[in-house]
């Protein structure tokens, strides 16, 4: 489960970067960024390693 969460977080950061630099979707991109950061923080706080 942790690996899937980490993968989703990384994908969201990539999509955010693409949207931020390529498209102008608005607040949706920033919501994706916030979700990705929360997922990464949950991964770090849980203390599990790859």
């Amino acid at each position: 489960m942790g690996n899937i969460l980490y993968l989703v977080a990384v994908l969201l950061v990539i999509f955010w970067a693409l949207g931020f630099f390529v498209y102008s979707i608005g607040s949706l991109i920033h919501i994706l960024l916030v979700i990705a950061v929360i997922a990464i923080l949950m991964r770090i706080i849980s203390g599990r390693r790859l």
Side-chain angles (χ1 to χ4, degrees):
M1 180 70 182
N3 289 338
I4 294 173
L5 182 64
Y6 186 71
L7 177 65
V8 169
V10 170
L11 288 174
L12 285 174
V13 169
I14 291 171
F15 289 142
W16 171 79
L18 286 173
F20 186 75
F21 293 113
V22 177
Y23 301 105
S24 177
I25 298 176
S27 64
L28 177 63
I29 299 304
H30 299 287
I31 292 171
L32 290 177
L33 175 63
V34 170
I35 293 170
V37 169
I38 290 171
I40 291 170
L41 288 176
M42 287 175 58
R43 173 84 173 172
I44 292 170
I45 290 171
S46 69
R48 297 189 185 127
R49 300 286 179 206
L50 292 173

